[in-house]
Amino acid sequence: MSRSDPHTTARAPSPRDPRIDLFRGLLLVMIFIDHVPGNWYENLTLRNWGFSDAAESFFIMSGMAAGLAYTGGVARWRETGLWLGIAPIWKRAWVLYLTHIFLTMAGIAIFAIGAEAFGLTELLTKINMRQVFQNTGPALIGIVTLGHQIGYVNILPAYTVLLLAAPFALLLGQRAPLALLAASIVLWFITGLLRLNLPAYPNPGGWFFNPFAWQLIFVIGLLTGIALRHGNRFVPKNRTLFAVATGWIVFVLAWIYAPGFGPVMDGIMARLEALGLPFHITSQDKTFLPLLRLLHVLAVAYIISCLPSVARLSAHPYAEPLRVMGRQGLLVFSAGALLSLAGQAVFVYFEGVTIVPWLFIPAGTVVLWALAWLADWKRRAGQPARQSLVQKGGSMSPVAAE
C-alpha cells in the first residue's frame, strides 16, 4: 500500500482497531506477570519466545496509539495554531509524570509497610530501594527529577520524555516519514556508540529504559499510527519480508533452545565485538535496545500485523476482556504495578508456600480486568455527552494514547 499524502488534512477518525486494544491488554497482563518474579506463569510470557519481551512491544503499541490519537491535531496546526496540537500531547506527558511519581511513592510505602509491619527488612534493599532508605535526601531529589527510578516502575519516565518530543516527530513524520525514521536510526546508533543516557541520580549510570535508544521503536510505532490514521500501512505486506521475519523468529528460537547452537552464536557475537563492532550490535543490553532485541520485536510485530486470522481473533467476543484492559492502558498498568510490588512482598512473606504464586497471579489479573471494566463502563456512560460536544464543534481522539 502507498503511504498517505502528508500534505492532505487528516481524515475523519476511523473505528478502533481491535488488534491494538487486544495486544495492549495482553502485553499489560504479561508485564504484570513478569513483574512478580517467582511465579510459574512467567514461562508463558513473550520473553520466553525470543530476545525481546513485553516492554519492547508495549513501546511500539504506545507509539501507534500516539500516532492515531494526535496526528489529526498536529496536522491541522496551520488552521488552529500549533499549540492546540501540542497541548494535548504535553498534557498527557504531565499525567504520566504525576502517575510515575505516585506509583514510585506508593511502591516505597508498600515495601516500607512490609518491613515495619511484617519484619521483611530485606525489602528495603531490593529494586533500587536502598538509596531511598539509606540516602533519602538525594533519592527524593532523584525521584522528582526522574533520575532515581525503582525497579518495575521505571517505564513511564521514558514514555514521558518521548511524548514531549512527539509533536515535533509528528510534524516531520507526516511530511517526511522516511526522514524521521532515518534520524531515529542515527540517534539510536550514536546512543549505543557513545553510551548516551540520562543520569540516574543519585546512582551512577543512567536510566534503565534509555529514551535516546528506545525512541526508535516508539518512532516506528508512531509512523505506523500515522499511516493507520490515513488508512494505510507504513510497512507494506510483502511475502519476501514476511518469510524473512518468520525465518528470523525461528532462528532466534533455535539460538535460545537448540542444544549447542546458543553457545556457538554467543561465541560469534563475542568475536564480532572483539573485532570492534559496537556493543549494542552484538550484545543484549536492554538499556540500549540492542539490535538483536530490536529485530526480534519488529519481526514479531510485522508477522502479527500481516495475519488475517489475528484480526478475526482480536474482534472475537471472547477477546473482550483483553480489549477492555487495552482500552484502559494507563489504569491497568498503574494498578498492575502496585499489585506486582505487593505481590513481591507477599511472596517474601509466604516464601516456600507454593500455592501463593499460583493463586496471586490469576487473582491479580481478575482485579485488573474488573478495574478496567468499571472504567470502560464509566467511559461508555459518558459517551453521549462527548458526542453532543462533537456535534457542537468539539473534537474527539480516535484512540486514547495510553
Side-chain angles (χ1 to χ4, degrees):
M1 293 184 183
S2 61
R3 297 184 181 88
S4 58
D5 183 355
H7 302 287
T8 60
T9 303
R11 298 177 185 175
S14 56
R16 296 181 72 105
D17 188 332
R19 293 175 298 177
I20 295 177
D21 291 332
L22 179 133
F23 282 103
R24 190 158 56 178
L26 181 60
L27 291 170
L28 286 166
V29 172
M30 289 185 180
I31 290 173
F32 167 61
I33 293 172
D34 286 339
H35 284 187
V36 193
N39 70 85
W40 176 86
Y41 303 97
E42 291 179 285
N43 297 310
L44 304 177
T45 61
L46 189 59
R47 68 183 187 182
N48 297 285
W49 302 96
F51 296 137
S52 67
D53 57 31
E56 286 89 351
S57 297
F58 193 74
F59 262 79
I60 291 181
M61 302 296 293
S62 297
M64 291 173 61
L68 283 165
Y70 300 124
T71 293
V74 174
R76 294 189 296 270
W77 73 273
R78 294 185 184 276
E79 307 165 20
T80 62
L82 185 58
W83 177 245
L84 288 181
I86 292 177
I89 308 176
W90 284 2
K91 180 181 179 181
R92 185 65 176 177
W94 176 245
V95 169
L96 295 181
Y97 170 79
L98 294 178
T99 302
H100 170 73
I101 298 299
F102 168 76
L103 292 177
T104 300
M105 300 310 295
I108 293 170
I110 289 171
F111 275 34
I113 291 171
E116 291 291 329
F118 302 102
L120 307 177
T121 55
E122 61 266 45
L123 293 175
L124 304 183
T125 57
K126 289 180 176 290
I127 63 169
N128 211 15
M129 289 284 189
R130 186 187 299 273
Q131 290 279 12
V132 174
F133 295 104
Q134 298 180 3
N135 192 23
T136 305
L140 290 177
I141 295 173
I143 288 171
V144 173
T145 58
L146 298 182
H148 188 71
Q149 302 167 14
I150 65 174
Y152 305 109
V153 190
N154 52 7
I155 196 171
L156 290 184
Y159 189 26
T160 300
V161 169
L162 294 176
L163 277 185
L164 291 176
F168 311 104
L170 284 168
L171 284 171
L172 178 59
Q174 291 180 78
R175 291 187 167 273
L178 293 182
L180 174 60
L181 179 61
S184 180
I185 293 173
V186 169
L187 177 57
W188 168 81
F189 184 80
I190 293 175
T191 296
L193 194 64
L194 303 180
R195 308 291 179 99
L196 300 177
N197 203 342
L198 294 176
Y201 178 85
N203 289 321
W207 291 16
F208 182 72
F209 289 100
N210 182 348
F212 298 126
W214 284 68
Q215 54 79 28
L216 178 53
I217 48 176
F218 179 82
V219 165
I220 291 171
L222 196 74
L223 290 169
T224 302
I226 293 172
L228 288 174
R229 172 83 184 201
H230 294 84
N232 300 321
R233 289 180 60 98
F234 178 63
V235 180
K237 290 184 178 181
N238 180 279
R239 290 184 178 180
T240 301
L241 185 56
F242 186 88
V244 170
T246 304
W248 172 245
I249 296 297
V250 174
F251 182 80
V252 169
L253 288 173
W255 189 330
I256 297 173
Y257 292 110
F261 187 58
V264 171
M265 291 305 305
D266 293 340
I268 292 174
M269 292 295 105
R271 286 193 290 273
L272 290 175
E273 186 173 6
L275 291 174
L277 262 69
F279 89 105
H280 62 308
I281 304 298
T282 58
S283 75
Q284 296 192 40
D285 187 334
K286 187 173 182 177
T287 292
F288 289 89
L289 187 64
L291 183 64
L292 296 176
R293 298 180 73 100
L294 173 64
L295 293 178
H296 182 260
V297 68
L298 293 180
V300 171
Y302 183 75
I303 291 171
I304 289 174
S305 72
C306 290
L307 295 175
S309 58
V310 170
R312 291 194 300 270
L313 291 173
S314 298
H316 196 281
Y318 288 163
E320 179 62 10
L322 289 175
R323 291 198 299 268
V324 168
M325 296 171 76
R327 289 195 293 268
Q328 300 297 329
L330 183 58
L331 172 64
V332 173
F333 172 81
S334 301
L338 296 181
L339 279 175
S340 68
L341 294 176
Q344 291 182 42
V346 169
F347 284 15
V348 171
Y349 184 78
F350 290 100
E351 186 176 4
V353 183
T354 56
I355 192 64
V356 172
W358 282 97
L359 296 178
F360 185 87
I361 297 300
T365 303
V366 171
V367 169
L368 295 179
W369 168 80
L371 289 173
W373 185 89
L374 286 172
D376 204 59
W377 172 80
K378 183 179 179 181
R379 176 188 63 83
R380 293 195 307 271
Q383 278 183 342
R386 290 195 294 271
Q387 290 171 354
S388 175
L389 175 63
V390 172
Q391 292 171 358
K392 292 179 181 180
S395 61
M396 292 176 61
S397 295
V399 63
E402 297 180 310

